[in-house]
Amino acid sequence: VSLLLLLLLLSPTFIEHPPSFVTSPSLLQYHHCCCAHPTIPKAVVKDTSQAVEWFLRSIEHGDNALAMCNLGLIYMTGDGVPKDDVTAMKWFQKASFRGNSKAQFHFAKMKMEGTGCAADPETAHEFMRKSAKEQGEAKYMLGTWLLEGKSGLKKDAKEAVRLLESAAKMHSNENAFFMLGKMFAYGVDGVVKEDCIRAYGYLYEAYNRGHPDAKREIDRLSSRGKKRDKEAGEKGSGKGESLIGDDFDYSKFDDIDSDDFNLMKYSRCENNPT
């Protein structure tokens, strides 16, 4: 039923001559907004000015938080309108206070950076936590903030790891996979122990999802492992503990299941990058 309704809404005939049972202001405004907005491509010719008009009408009739968030995105990116961070912040704030988690992410990020508003790390932290209940990108962002103690926030590496793993495993966030790979490669504040096997696994997940820096980190980690293996051989102790020398089997990480990472045994490698 939902699919048939969607096909009906997107049909050219419906767009030009909607039947009377859907001519209520709220539904028509939402319909026109969606068709003009790029999230539904090829339905009609993209027209940002019309989208803005219909989003505003939808807000007038229904206090629509999604429409407010979309207006924030339009002004933040300058998509078909002059880029305006102040106006974007206004709409993100309105949508955030109405519970839109996507808007809460952008509102918090702009509050932390002082973009379009005065910087306010405490408010940024509060709303990023709210957004992180639903948004993977918010979990990743909050995790990095807690990891570095951004703008006076108390560092919490344990909570940072929890958020990053949730962003990676539940939302397939490539940045979270990449960050976790680096954390397990070098260790963090006694909370994360070095674990080259898990580091490889996370970095390959990031690489498979298109992260631009993942291959560089994989090569760097491999070089560290080969160096340790060489040093171990020179000392007569056989192959190094890193298990990532010339005969390391890269293929087993191509399609590794994220849920299996916790089952892998620790594999020690060097403390410092080469």
Side-chain angles (χ1 to χ4, degrees):
V1 175
S2 298
L3 179 58
L4 289 174
L5 179 59
L6 178 61
L7 291 173
L8 172 64
L9 291 172
L10 296 180
S11 67
T13 302
F14 181 90
I15 292 172
E16 295 298 327
H17 306 288
S20 58
F21 71 89
V22 291
T23 54
S24 65
S26 58
L27 184 54
L28 273 182
Q29 285 150 14
Y30 179 75
H31 167 65
H32 278 271
C33 289
C34 290
C35 289
H37 200 261
T39 54
I40 303 184
K42 299 181 181 179
V44 295
V45 176
K46 179 179 174 180
D47 188 332
T48 304
S49 62
Q50 281 195 40
V52 169
E53 178 184 348
W54 284 106
F55 283 137
L56 289 171
R57 292 191 185 186
S58 179
I59 292 167
E60 290 174 3
H61 284 269
D63 203 32
N64 190 323
L66 177 59
M68 294 173 185
C69 180
N70 283 334
L71 284 172
L73 291 170
I74 288 172
Y75 283 105
M76 180 184 72
T77 59
D79 180 13
V81 300
K83 181 176 169 61
D84 187 339
D85 290 330
V86 174
T87 300
M89 167 54 79
K90 179 188 77 172
W91 289 115
F92 284 141
Q93 181 172 349
K94 287 177 178 290
S96 293
F97 279 91
R98 288 162 176 79
N100 185 282
S101 61
K102 182 104 177 156
Q104 287 169 345
F105 168 76
H106 291 290
F107 174 68
K109 190 169 182 288
M110 294 175 79
K111 273 288 186 184
M112 181 61 81
E113 298 170 348
T115 303
C117 62
D120 185 349
E122 186 175 344
T123 299
H125 190 197
E126 174 189 353
F127 277 87
M128 194 62 79
R129 279 198 175 279
K130 290 180 178 181
S131 179
K133 294 177 182 179
E134 298 181 15
Q135 298 290 326
E137 56 187 349
K139 292 177 181 178
Y140 165 74
M141 186 64 67
L142 183 57
T144 60
W145 287 359
L146 292 173
L147 193 61
E148 63 186 66
K150 189 174 180 66
S151 298
L153 295 178
K154 183 179 179 181
K155 284 187 176 183
D156 189 340
K158 186 174 182 179
E159 176 67 1
V161 171
R162 186 191 72 79
L163 287 164
L164 290 169
E165 288 186 331
S166 178
K169 296 176 183 180
M170 295 181 64
H171 303 275
S172 196
N173 186 287
E174 66 182 60
N175 292 317
F177 277 118
F178 180 73
M179 180 66 73
L180 286 165
K182 293 187 68 175
M183 291 168 69
F184 280 101
Y186 306 120
V188 177
D189 296 339
V191 175
V192 177
K193 295 181 180 180
E194 290 181 28
D195 183 346
C196 291
I197 299 295
R198 292 181 74 182
Y200 263 107
Y202 281 125
L203 289 171
Y204 263 85
E205 286 284 2
Y207 174 74
N208 288 336
R209 286 164 174 76
H211 195 286
D213 299 322
K215 183 61 167 59
R216 181 195 66 204
E217 288 298 325
I218 290 169
D219 291 341
R220 190 179 187 186
L221 190 57
S222 179
S223 295
R224 291 169 58 199
K226 291 175 182 178
K227 179 181 178 181
R228 181 173 175 81
D229 289 338
K230 181 180 179 181
E231 291 175 350
E234 291 173 350
K235 293 177 181 178
S237 57
K239 201 160 185 61
E241 293 179 62
S242 67
L243 304 178
I244 50 176
D246 291 327
D247 60 348
F248 188 81
D249 183 8
Y250 290 85
S251 65
K252 64 183 176 182
F253 292 110
D254 286 347
D255 299 299
I256 192 167
D257 188 333
S258 299
D259 292 333
D260 292 337
F261 289 152
N262 290 327
L263 302 178
M264 295 183 177
K265 295 181 179 179
Y266 282 144
S267 177
R268 299 291 294 173
C269 52
E270 293 175 291
N271 288 320
N272 300 313
T274 56

